[in-house]
Amino acid sequence: MKQVILAAHFPGVNNHTVWSDPASGSQIDFASFVHLARTAERGRFDFFFLADGQRLREQRGRIHDLDVVGRPDALTVLAALAAVTDRLGLAATINATFNEPYEIARKLATLDHLSGGRAGWNIVTSSDAFTGENFRRGGFLDHSQRYERAEEFLRTTRELWDSWVPEDLVADPVAGTFAAADAGAFTHHGAQFDIGGHFTVPRSPQRYPLTLQAGDSEEGREFAASTADAVFSRHSTLEAGQAFYRDVKSRLAGHGRSPDSLKILPGVTFALGDTDAEARENADHIRRQQVSPQTAILLLEQLWNRDLSSYDPDGPLPDIDPDVSEDSIIKGRARMHRDPLKTAAEWRALAEAKRLGIRDLIIEVTGRQSFIGSPARIAEEINEFVQADAADGFILVPHLTPTGLDGFVDRVVPLLQERGVFRTDYETTTLRGHLGLENDL
């Protein structure tokens, strides 16, 4: 029986987070981060994950309503959480376009030291000039160079981490030598980075903090297979999950890697109830909270690329087709649909077949895979996905901050433990150890 991997995603500022619910707390106060992290650790989760962005998005020239609460810097939050947790892995999204390898390698090595080997990062890139306006270099990265920069960024950080070996930290009081003369020496000459000097942080407990990657394109899958320790996915059915799992795992041998060296972790939501029927009612209530009438129009605009503010959220889809020009109605986020005309045709067919208005259609098409049911049902389905090789585990995305994970930890985790597919206590101290990757370096 495969062991299930579980991670907790601190809800982001998007339509999956019901910030308007009376039970919702702050997304900025440290107490919120502490509550969710400690809940995850009480449930013996593998890691806590923080997404991050570099600029508030805009739509129709205004700050996107779902972004206005902002988010403190992710690595700063994780460093603080390291002091109030003991075994839980701590991972965050880091942008390789607007950061430098030396800077990020130093921060991650520091976090790995402070946490005793629990650091991880999700490496992303951006070719968005709008986001780049916040930075000196601007949006200089061509879209075609995203994975080229990410690959070299990752390779360079690992060269920096390898610039120290354990023997470099001499600490000999008799000889008066603390570190070897060439400790931390490095040079790197590449298309994206040309740097040299001495790295300041001795080798950390994991050597390489855990690397996560998200990307469903051909380039993204190949990048994950070549370099990542875990990959996010968002396939909504068992069959689609199995197809993605087979495809990515089959690429590993070409990079000299074993199938177990890369973990597939879909992001999922969940809705619990005492019975399956009650859970379905709860899920429907949550989805209608997540997709308000205003949100439905905003999300429809992201496909249509037009101002649709005059449309009735309960009315039919627009008769006009999406605007496929390069100029996007939303700034600070990549286009979500590769073929807007094809997607619009599919949405129209679905709306006609099920007699859905705009809001009900958006609820239907924007819900990521969810586990809905009683605790027993959800535990059974999670285990089925993992044992059937549709996933190695899941990144849970609660809809409430910070208490949204409480019910899952209290009611579902014990059932997974009873099945023998999830730990009852931590057996390792590092994030790599939790995932069985301590030797995959």
Side-chain angles (χ1 to χ4, degrees):
M1 297 284 283
K2 290 170 60 180
Q3 292 293 297
V4 174
I5 296 168
L6 290 177
H9 185 296
F10 188 88
V13 281
N14 53 47
N15 68 293
H16 294 291
T17 306
V18 185
W19 59 265
S20 58
D21 191 294
S24 181
S26 173
Q27 296 210 21
I28 299 174
D29 289 347
F30 185 54
S32 289
F33 296 101
V34 171
H35 181 99
L36 193 133
R38 284 180 167 168
T39 300
E41 187 163 69
R42 177 166 59 83
R44 303 300 187 256
F45 275 44
D46 292 272
F47 64 93
F48 172 97
F49 177 71
L50 270 177
D52 202 10
Q54 302 297 316
R55 181 167 180 171
L56 297 179
R57 290 174 290 171
E58 293 181 10
Q59 191 157 331
R60 285 193 258 115
R62 301 196 306 271
I63 291 177
H64 197 292
D65 288 346
L66 300 173
D67 268 3
V68 293
V69 295
R71 166 69 61 76
D73 175 71
L75 284 180
T76 304
V77 172
L78 295 186
L81 288 176
V84 296
T85 56
D86 295 316
R87 297 291 185 90
L88 185 70
L90 303 168
T93 295
I94 296 176
N95 194 302
T97 299
F98 303 117
N99 287 291
E100 294 294 323
Y102 184 93
E103 173 189 25
I104 296 304
R106 188 166 184 258
K107 289 181 176 180
L108 283 170
T110 299
L111 177 62
D112 207 46
H113 276 293
L114 294 178
S115 65
R118 296 184 283 137
W121 61 319
N122 171 35
I123 184 169
V124 301
T125 58
S126 173
S127 58
D128 177 22
F130 173 80
T131 301
E133 291 173 359
N134 277 354
F135 299 87
R136 176 174 58 84
R137 292 188 174 184
F140 70 94
L141 183 65
D142 187 82
H143 186 78
S144 64
Q145 293 182 313
R146 289 176 304 151
Y147 286 108
E148 177 186 334
R149 183 176 179 92
E151 186 279 329
E152 188 175 336
F153 193 105
L154 178 58
R155 177 158 41 90
T156 306
T157 58
R158 288 179 173 175
E159 290 170 6
L160 292 165
W161 292 325
D162 280 340
S163 66
W164 281 79
V165 296
E167 294 77 17
D168 284 340
L169 203 58
V170 179
D172 183 346
V174 176
T177 303
F178 182 77
D182 60 347
F186 70 91
T187 57
H188 176 92
H189 304 292
Q192 295 288 331
F193 309 106
D194 189 356
I195 57 176
H198 282 77
F199 189 55
T200 59
V201 185
R203 179 167 294 188
S204 69
Q206 292 188 111
R207 181 181 173 190
Y208 300 155
L210 190 85
T211 303
L212 304 109
Q213 194 269 334
D216 198 24
S217 66
E218 177 66 21
E219 286 180 309
R221 295 182 185 207
E222 194 62 25
F223 178 67
S226 66
T227 61
D229 299 306
V231 59
F232 298 142
S233 69
R234 48 188 306 155
H235 296 279
S236 59
T237 66
L238 183 72
E239 294 75 17
Q242 288 174 321
F244 180 83
Y245 192 99
R246 284 193 303 269
D247 178 75
V248 175
K249 295 271 188 173
S250 69
R251 299 168 186 255
L252 294 169
H255 298 282
R257 304 180 65 190
S258 69
D260 290 336
S261 66
L262 176 67
K263 306 302 181 183
I264 309 296
L265 305 174
V268 296
T269 59
F270 60 92
L272 278 167
D274 289 337
T275 65
D276 292 347
E278 182 182 73
R280 286 192 293 271
E281 290 180 7
N282 290 340
D284 182 66
H285 176 67
I286 292 167
R287 288 298 291 141
R288 299 198 78 78
Q289 285 184 302
Q290 291 171 326
V291 184
S292 67
Q294 298 85 348
T295 297
I297 295 298
L298 287 170
L299 294 177
L300 190 69
E301 287 180 341
Q302 292 176 17
L303 171 61
W304 250 258
N305 200 33
R306 296 179 184 276
D307 184 345
L308 303 177
S309 56
S310 63
Y311 281 76
D312 179 0
D314 295 317
L317 292 173
D319 292 329
I320 56 174
D321 286 332
D323 178 357
V324 296
S325 64
E326 290 295 322
D327 189 30
S328 176
I329 197 170
I330 187 167
K331 306 294 184 183
R333 182 176 186 174
R335 289 273 182 93
M336 298 298 292
H337 307 282
R338 296 176 186 173
D339 188 340
L341 295 176
K342 179 182 177 183
T343 303
E346 293 170 350
W347 286 13
R348 283 171 172 150
L350 180 61
E352 182 177 357
K354 294 191 173 185
R355 298 185 178 182
L356 302 175
I358 289 173
R359 185 184 181 196
D360 287 332
L361 174 73
I362 294 298
I363 288 173
E364 178 94 5
V365 299
T366 60
R368 71 172 63 185
Q369 179 200 321
S370 295
F371 291 114
I372 301 171
S374 66
R377 168 80 65 181
I378 291 180
E380 178 184 358
E381 292 184 355
I382 285 176
N383 189 46
E384 179 186 9
F385 265 75
V386 172
Q387 304 309 329
D389 287 343
D392 291 310
F394 295 95
I395 298 174
L396 299 178
V397 187
H399 71 283
L400 287 179
T401 303
T403 59
L405 195 65
D406 294 12
F408 187 96
V409 167
D410 292 336
R411 305 180 68 188
V412 179
V413 166
L415 299 180
L416 292 171
Q417 292 169 334
E418 286 179 10
R419 288 173 174 265
V421 297
F422 192 68
R423 66 174 67 86
T424 57
D425 204 354
Y426 291 108
E427 298 177 357
T428 56
T429 59
T430 68
L431 177 51
R432 283 189 170 277
H434 298 344
L435 271 59
L437 298 173
E438 59 266 62
N439 296 319
D440 292 293
L441 294 173

